[in-house]
Amino acid sequence: MTKVFISYSRKDLDFVEKLASDLQDVGFNVWYDLSGLEGGSRWSQEIEKAIRTSDHVIMVISPDSIKSKWVEEEFLLAGELKKNIVPLYYK
């Protein structure tokens, strides 16, 4: 199953939850921080692990996400790992 990591701003969470649901409905294994983090886990390490093990990284581009330090860090890591980065323009 193809694994997809979604990078986004929390302010776009409603859109991301719908996107994740739609992708799962057609067979993708989707990971985003609220779907894949367990209580007590080390947040940054889990995000890095999820990016490393993903086949594709969807970058939800919005006015809020382009201001996010975390989205920038996720983008840089995905680029370093030569992941297939898919920009998805929102708003």
Side-chain angles (χ1 to χ4, degrees):
M1 183 181 293
T2 302
K3 186 172 179 187
V4 175
F5 177 92
I6 301 177
S7 178
Y8 70 103
S9 165
R10 284 275 175 93
K11 293 180 180 176
D12 301 325
L13 181 59
D14 289 341
F15 172 77
V16 168
E17 288 179 329
K18 174 73 170 118
L19 171 64
S21 177
D22 289 347
L23 290 169
Q24 289 167 343
D25 286 348
V26 295
F28 288 96
N29 178 358
V30 178
W31 196 102
Y32 62 102
D33 63 345
L34 293 181
S35 70
L37 289 175
E38 301 294 326
S41 62
R42 294 181 157 244
W43 193 54
S44 61
Q45 290 176 349
E46 291 299 317
I47 288 174
E48 181 177 338
K49 178 181 167 186
I51 292 171
R52 287 184 181 280
T53 61
S54 290
D55 300 301
H56 307 281
V57 175
I58 296 176
M59 306 297 302
V60 176
I61 309 297
S62 72
D64 293 308
S65 72
I66 61 172
K67 297 175 192 172
S68 169
K69 175 81 169 135
W70 284 105
V71 171
E72 180 181 357
E73 293 291 328
E74 292 162 1
F75 173 76
L76 292 173
L77 178 60
E80 287 174 16
L81 296 172
K82 303 204 182 322
K83 296 294 179 176
N84 181 33
I85 300 172
V86 180
L88 193 156
Y89 294 97
Y90 174 60
K91 292 186 184 177

